[in-house]
Amino acid sequence: MADLVLKDVEKAYGEVKVLKDINLDIKTGELIVFVGPSGCGKSTLLRMIAGLEKISGGEFSIDGVRMNDVPPAQRGIAMVFQSYALYPHMTVRENMSFALRIAKKSQAEIDKAVDKAAKILQLTPYLDRLPKALSGGQRQRVAIGRSIVRDPKVYLFDEPLSNLDAALRVATRIEIAQLKEAMPQSTMVYVTHDQVEAMTLASRIVVLAGGGIAQVGSPLELYERPQNEFVAQFIGSPSMNLMAGEITGTGAKTTVRLANGGMAVSAVPTNAADKGLPVNIGVRPEDLVEAAGKSPAEAIFTGEVEITEALGEVTLLYFRRQGEAAQVVAKLPGIRPELRRRTVSLGADPKKVHLFANGTSLLYR
Ligand SMILES: Nc1ncnc2c1ncn2[C@@H]1O[C@H](COP(=O)(O)OP(=O)(O)O)[C@@H](O)[C@H]1O
Ligand SMILES: [Mg+2]
């Protein structure tokens, strides 16, 4: 059992507020991921939960007990860092049991805890090896094992995969997902700047930006129903396209005339007062489809493909629309390099067309 509650938590270094208005309820068994651009305060927030950083304002509690002034060792929390310094002269078993020996636990207790952790982490065959005879991913698992043996209520991870190469990152990410499954009652908070890690691991994602929380939700909620342009563009790769326009028709289906030629229909409902409202329409690259020969309502714009990138299972098409700062990207299934320099009409299902006014989704006002 470990429910974590952050209430109006803030952090200031001198005059500079790096975090404010952080309100968050984390339930036992959740794997919460903090994601956001570099410098947005992810590590700071995690370190405040760990007790390594003082909380400047607000309250943090575990299972209803205020933690603001409780020292790190008494919070029932284990933190796994990016760099996993193992003792090089100790075997895996010795590394994993070190903290328990310091705590003067009995040999039987130590063996039981280490064997259990090794099983969860699939380290049993390596218990008698030295760290130098392990791969990077195995060493990272030993580092996690050192936390597991202490049986903490809460695990905190700060970008644990960022030192690993690409293939190992994927493998270790899957291992962390399995680790979570093996310990359904433990609460985990995981920091990353990698949105794929966030999407694949999280039960809920907290997107941090500009010193506050931009949105909290399950990975698919954030993908399908982003509340603002920041979240819309942060989750998903390539990013959601945003194109300027103005509402011309209201009702259950909203029509938008694009500033630079074209028209979109969105299933986001609007009312008469919204007529003329300047908006950005948002469409994900994977939601744009070829619309040649379809009804005009389904085509959003027609343009020349500037560049194609054939990735194998999909081809990315890049359009430069006059007067628009960013390129528009479409992701079409299959291998389509022949579309370079061709003129293509693109449309989207109105249910997949987002509308934002002043950066906020019109779904959520
Ligand atoms: N000890 C400190 N003194 C002053 N500013 C700090 C200190 N530690 C972190 N910061 C600032 O707080 C902000 C958040 O940092 P951090 O939590 O490390 O970001 P993230 O982990 O999201 O990359 C950054 O702008 C950083 O410069
Ligand atoms: Mg950090």
Side-chain angles (χ1 to χ4, degrees):
M1 264 288 292
D3 291 344
L4 277 52
V5 177
L6 293 113
K7 203 162 171 298
D8 299 326
V9 164
E10 54 180 63
K11 178 69 188 179
Y13 291 107
E15 293 288 288
V16 187
K17 265 199 185 153
V18 296
L19 287 166
K20 58 181 185 316
D21 301 331
I22 303 295
N23 286 289
L24 204 53
D25 261 343
I26 301 175
K27 297 277 173 240
T28 299
E30 277 198 290
L31 197 169
I32 294 288
V33 174
F34 294 165
V35 74
S38 181
C40 70
K42 303 179 295 293
S43 295
T44 304
L45 188 54
L46 198 72
R47 290 168 60 80
M48 287 196 286
I49 292 173
L52 301 171
E53 200 75 68
K54 208 172 151 33
I55 296 170
S56 312
E59 190 171 274
F60 166 52
S61 60
I62 300 179
D63 293 335
V65 180
R66 183 184 155 96
M67 285 289 134
N68 292 47
D69 305 308
V70 174
Q74 288 162 32
R75 293 189 183 195
I77 283 175
M79 185 137 171
V80 179
F81 293 93
Q82 192 178 94
S83 58
Y84 38 85
L86 302 177
Y87 299 108
H89 58 286
M90 290 185 195
T91 64
V92 169
R93 180 182 287 283
E94 286 163 348
N95 264 287
M96 280 170 59
S97 55
F98 188 73
L100 300 181
R101 272 184 279 138
I102 297 288
K104 301 235 182 323
K105 301 275 181 196
S106 75
Q107 192 58 47
E109 262 179 293
I110 294 174
D111 287 343
K112 194 169 156 221
V114 171
D115 288 338
K116 184 175 160 211
K119 203 164 158 212
I120 290 172
L121 293 163
Q122 297 171 10
L123 285 171
T124 310
Y126 309 107
L127 281 171
D128 297 320
R129 284 202 197 171
L130 291 173
K132 67 173 186 228
L134 298 176
S135 71
Q138 289 163 340
R139 281 181 216 163
Q140 181 62 271
R141 274 185 274 157
V142 177
I144 296 171
R146 288 195 303 198
S147 315
I148 293 181
V149 294
R150 290 165 41 216
D151 198 24
K153 292 182 286 186
V154 184
Y155 290 86
L156 306 180
F157 296 89
D158 194 354
E159 308 219 14
L161 308 187
S162 56
N163 282 350
L164 308 178
D165 65 49
L168 202 51
R169 277 180 88 110
V170 174
T172 314
R173 189 177 82 209
I174 292 166
E175 279 167 10
I176 290 179
Q178 288 169 334
L179 172 69
K180 179 69 194 73
E181 237 164 70
M183 302 190 297
Q185 284 305 304
S186 58
T187 308
M188 296 187 177
V189 185
Y190 186 105
V191 165
T192 181
H193 62 266
D194 181 322
Q195 55 108 1
V196 177
E197 260 172 55
M199 293 296 282
T200 51
L201 286 173
S203 47
R204 284 190 302 152
I205 296 176
V206 178
V207 182
L208 292 170
I213 295 178
Q215 190 171 350
V216 181
S218 72
L220 290 183
E221 265 162 19
L222 298 195
Y223 178 82
E224 289 175 341
R225 296 164 68 85
Q227 285 174 0
N228 48 61
E229 288 180 356
F230 182 84
V231 174
Q233 292 206 298
F234 194 79
I235 302 287
S237 176
S239 287
M240 183 188 284
N241 298 296
L242 293 178
M243 292 174 268
E246 181 187 301
I247 292 180
T248 50
T250 57
K253 290 225 164 127
T254 302
T255 50
V256 175
R257 194 185 52 208
L258 297 188
N260 301 303
M263 196 194 82
V265 180
S266 171
V268 174
T270 50
N271 53 51
D274 292 322
K275 212 159 191 168
L277 185 69
V279 289
N280 276 335
I281 77 143
V283 195
R284 296 197 180 279
E286 55 272 36
D287 292 334
L288 282 168
V289 293
E290 283 177 280
K294 294 200 179 156
S295 75
E298 283 170 292
I300 295 176
F301 73 87
T302 301
E304 191 188 84
V305 177
E306 199 169 52
I307 299 171
T308 59
E309 287 180 333
L311 301 179
E313 85 275 30
V314 294
T315 300
L316 300 180
L317 310 182
Y318 292 83
F319 298 81
R320 186 167 304 283
R321 286 174 39 83
Q322 231 175 22
E324 212 104 42
Q327 280 172 304
V328 173
V329 187
K331 193 191 266 186
L332 299 187
I335 299 169
R336 307 291 304 277
E338 79 280 2
L339 293 178
R340 179 154 190 260
R341 296 283 165 222
R342 290 277 185 77
T343 296
V344 175
S345 283
L346 292 173
D349 179 342
K351 289 209 257 335
K352 304 282 177 75
V353 175
H354 301 256
L355 293 180
F356 302 94
N358 295 317
T360 305
S361 172
L362 290 184
L363 258 183
Y364 292 96
R365 58 191 163 163

